[in-house]
């Protein structure tokens, strides 16, 4: 039997009735809070969170007994993954001095070339016949260059690159990688003074001349090159390491997981899932799984940006988001399996940030510990005052959404969804009565 026959929500000895829920929202504008069951759902969810927050503030050691995992797990896992990166990925990405020098000789990234070109543009509307004709034009100009005519003069007459044509087609000294790939590949392969073949790019047909090359001595750029090479190798090694974790873990989405996350992504229930619901698996892998509860904690912390991602109609995009959760969990698990631990100072800092969120939400809500600490009876009026500020748009619920999972974990609460409609109808009645002459609070 229910302890209260008119309850919308209950938690730890406190009850939100149909009448009370309607009164809490009646002072808000209809635009901000229309009389709909889903609005009452939102109120019930916030009421549980704010009541739990006020109850925490009256304990002698505020928040000390609270399970902060929903607020700290993401940050803690990220910290230990950074340790894994240093211990496994970075160390395996290193090169010996001899390997670095050999790699530099094969492909020096700091090379420069003094470049000239003549461009014959291809219009976007060109037919194949037009393209063939323009190629013939470019080839004819190239033959004139090879026969000894002045490259500068021909560039001024025929090049359709407005920035370089007046300078005889001169682009000046250009670093490797700065030009389009087709031209970049040419200018370091041809000898200084040589003329390239007619080359097509997205811009049109080019005749290119490299007037000179500069390749810094390895010793001059050793430190910069080591950093450059390390960043590229690190990316490749990191990708290979993650791929190896996935391959060894046999990652599989469970049936209905994509529809499950979509249906819950915009629901207030995501912050008050039961233990059974939180424990349901979305993704399984060898040795573990990603549960609905883990996904819900990430979603709540990442709202509203992450929330929109789960509404994507493309199932592949949603699956990719779930795989990113698996990736993070596999990396964290690999770190913990290696015995890596977040340093105590760092862990204390993460916990401090989580408690700062809790205290920040209490302050933003207008709760003051000195006004609550003497009596649990003060909690109800304090929550009501907070809702009046919420209805008047003096505060927003975003902070409460972030801390709600931690406040609700291990705390008994019930929500009676079948009474939402009655509360919404009662809210409309109160507003109608006030519109007949009663002043609005």
């Amino acid at each position: 039997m229910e302890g209260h026959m008119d309850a919308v929500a209950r938690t730890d000895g406190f009850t939100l009735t149909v009448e009370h829920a309607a009164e809490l929202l009646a002072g808000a504008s209809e635009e901000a809070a229309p009389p709909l069951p889903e609005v009452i759902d939102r109120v019930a969810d916030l009421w549980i969170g704010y009541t739990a927050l006020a109850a925490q503030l009256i304990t002698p050691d505020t928040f000390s007994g609270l399970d902060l995992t929903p607020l700290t797990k993401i940050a803690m896992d990220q910290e230990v993954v950074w340790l894994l990166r240093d211990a496994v990925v970075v160390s395996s990405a290193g090169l010996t001095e001899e390997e670095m020098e050999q790699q530099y000789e094969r492909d020096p990234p700091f090379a420069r070339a003094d470049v000239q070109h003549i461009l014959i543009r291809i219009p976007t509307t060109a037919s194949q016949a037009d393209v063939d004709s323009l190629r013939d034009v470019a080839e004819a100009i190239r033959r004139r260059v090879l026969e000894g005519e002045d490259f500068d003069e021909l560039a001024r007459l025929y090049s359709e690159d407005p920035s370089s044509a007046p300078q005889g087609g001169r682009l000046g000294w250009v670093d490797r990688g700065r030009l389009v790939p087709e031209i970049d590949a040419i200018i370091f392969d041809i000898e200084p003074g040589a003329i390239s073949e007619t080359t097509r790019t997205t811009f049109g047909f080019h005749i290119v001349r490299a007037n000179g090359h500069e390749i810094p001595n390895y010793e001059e750029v050793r430190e910069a090159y080591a950093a450059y090479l390390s960043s590229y190798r690190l990316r490749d090694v990191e990708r290979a390491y993650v791929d190896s974790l996935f391959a060894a873990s046999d990652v599989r989405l469970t049936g209905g997981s994509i529809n499950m996350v979509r249906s819950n992504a915009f629901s207030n229930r995501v912050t008050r899932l039961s233990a059974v619901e939180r424990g349901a698996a979305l993704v399984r892998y060898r040795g573990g799984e990603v549960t609905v509860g883990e996904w819900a904690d990430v979603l709540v912390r990442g709202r509203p940006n992450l929330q929109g991602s789960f509404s994507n109609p493309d199932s592949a995009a949603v699956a990719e988001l779930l795989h990113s959760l698996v990736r993070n969990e596999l990396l964290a698990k690999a770190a913990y399996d290696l015995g890596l631990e977040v340093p105590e100072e760092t862990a204390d800092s993460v916990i401090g940030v989580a408690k700062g969120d809790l205290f920040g939400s209490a302050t933003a809500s207008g709760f003051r510990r000195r006004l609550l600490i003497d009596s649990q009876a003060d909690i109800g009026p304090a929550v009501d005052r907070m809702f009046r500020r919420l209805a008047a748009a003096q505060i927003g619920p975003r902070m409460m959404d972030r801390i709600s999972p931690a406040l609700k974990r291990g705390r008994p609460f019930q929500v009676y969804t079948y009474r939402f409609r009655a509360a919404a109808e009662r809210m409309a009645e109160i507003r109608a009565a006030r519109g007949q002459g009663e002043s609005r609070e």
Side-chain angles (χ1 to χ4, degrees):
M1 293 291 292
E2 295 175 7
H4 199 295
M5 300 306 294
D6 194 29
V8 170
R10 303 182 68 208
T11 182
D12 204 18
F14 297 92
T15 301
L16 176 67
T17 65
V18 167
E19 183 70 19
H20 196 174
E23 284 284 354
L24 288 176
L25 276 182
S29 69
E30 186 155 347
E31 182 180 4
L36 299 171
E38 50 264 39
V39 174
I40 302 300
D41 186 3
R42 179 68 165 144
V43 168
D45 194 60
L46 287 170
W47 178 85
I48 292 169
Y50 281 115
T51 301
L53 177 61
Q56 280 292 325
L57 288 172
I58 69 169
T59 58
D61 298 317
T62 306
F63 305 131
S64 61
L66 203 62
D67 182 358
L68 297 177
T69 303
L71 303 182
T72 61
K73 184 177 187 302
I74 297 172
M76 288 291 195
D77 285 353
Q78 184 58 64
E79 291 294 339
V80 81
V81 167
W82 282 118
L83 296 177
L84 176 72
R85 189 174 185 267
D86 290 339
V88 176
V89 178
V90 174
S91 62
S92 61
L95 287 173
T96 66
E97 189 70 31
E98 183 179 0
E99 288 172 329
M100 281 201 302
E101 191 164 1
Q102 291 173 350
Q103 178 71 17
Y104 185 79
E105 290 175 359
R106 286 193 299 271
D107 185 22
F110 306 121
R112 300 196 309 157
D114 183 10
V115 181
Q116 282 180 275
H117 82 140
I118 298 171
L119 170 64
I120 304 301
R121 289 191 178 274
I122 301 174
T124 55
T125 56
S127 65
Q128 185 57 50
D130 293 332
V131 172
D132 293 341
S133 176
L134 291 169
R135 180 186 292 276
D136 290 341
V137 170
E139 290 284 6
I141 295 172
R142 179 175 180 271
R143 282 196 299 272
R144 291 172 64 178
V145 172
L146 293 176
E147 290 169 359
E149 290 193 47
D150 184 65
F151 192 103
D152 292 48
E153 186 60 31
L154 290 172
R156 292 188 187 96
L157 288 172
Y158 299 110
S159 180
E160 295 176 295
D161 177 1
S163 62
S164 67
Q167 286 77 46
R170 295 181 184 275
L171 299 175
W173 286 95
V174 180
D175 293 334
R176 182 190 288 275
R178 294 293 301 276
L179 300 177
V180 291
E182 299 90 344
I183 303 302
D184 195 69
I186 292 171
I187 59 177
F188 293 99
D189 284 343
I190 59 178
E191 293 295 324
I195 305 300
S196 73
E197 298 292 331
T198 299
T199 304
R200 182 174 178 176
T201 71
T202 55
F203 298 101
F205 292 108
H206 303 254
I207 303 110
V208 178
R209 179 166 72 183
N211 295 313
H213 296 147
E214 283 186 358
I215 300 177
N217 183 277
Y218 172 73
E219 291 300 328
E220 296 175 16
V221 295
R222 181 194 171 284
E223 290 188 10
Y225 182 62
Y228 164 86
L229 201 59
S230 176
S231 66
Y232 278 88
R233 280 183 59 84
L234 191 61
R235 180 188 58 192
D236 293 341
V237 170
E238 189 169 16
R239 184 185 297 114
Y241 181 71
V242 171
D243 288 346
S244 72
L245 291 180
F246 268 88
S249 300
D250 188 23
V251 178
R252 305 180 309 278
L253 294 177
T254 60
S257 59
I258 290 177
N259 289 334
M260 188 184 302
V261 299
R262 279 187 178 146
S263 64
N264 282 306
F266 294 88
S267 170
N268 293 320
R269 290 195 67 256
V270 77
T271 64
R272 56 173 193 262
L273 298 171
S274 69
V276 173
E277 289 172 320
R278 286 184 62 86
L282 290 173
V283 186
R284 288 194 172 91
Y285 57 88
R286 189 173 290 117
E289 59 189 17
V290 173
T291 66
V292 171
E294 290 168 327
W295 162 76
D297 291 344
V298 172
L299 176 70
V300 169
R301 296 290 285 177
R303 280 178 176 173
N305 296 333
L306 185 59
Q307 191 178 41
S309 301
F310 283 104
S311 67
N312 193 318
D314 181 4
S315 295
V318 179
E320 182 61 32
L321 285 167
L322 291 177
H323 273 83
S324 71
L325 297 183
V326 178
R327 175 186 182 278
N328 295 340
E329 189 158 310
L330 289 177
L331 286 169
K333 183 176 183 298
Y336 292 126
D337 287 347
L338 286 175
L340 300 174
E341 294 183 357
V342 178
E344 184 176 353
E345 183 178 350
T346 302
D348 288 343
S349 176
V350 172
I351 292 170
V353 170
K355 288 187 175 181
D357 279 355
L358 292 164
F359 280 110
S361 183
T363 301
S365 304
F367 291 156
R368 296 294 182 270
R369 189 170 183 273
R370 58 184 173 77
L371 300 178
L372 290 166
I373 197 168
D374 293 332
S375 172
Q376 188 162 342
D378 293 330
I379 290 177
V383 173
D384 288 353
R385 287 194 298 272
M386 184 284 307
F387 265 101
R388 283 195 289 272
R389 296 185 66 204
L390 195 65
Q394 294 175 341
I395 59 172
R398 175 74 183 100
M399 184 69 83
M400 174 52 64
D401 287 339
R402 286 172 58 82
I403 66 172
S404 186
L407 291 168
K408 292 174 183 174
R409 180 165 292 193
R411 187 180 184 86
F413 62 85
Q414 299 84 36
V415 176
Y416 306 103
T417 58
Y418 57 90
R419 293 198 176 117
F420 289 172
R421 184 167 298 280
E425 291 172 352
R426 179 58 185 146
M427 179 171 63
E429 291 172 0
I430 294 172
R431 284 177 175 167
R434 289 176 177 174
Q436 293 172 358
E438 291 188 20
S439 62
R440 182 169 296 189
E441 295 180 6

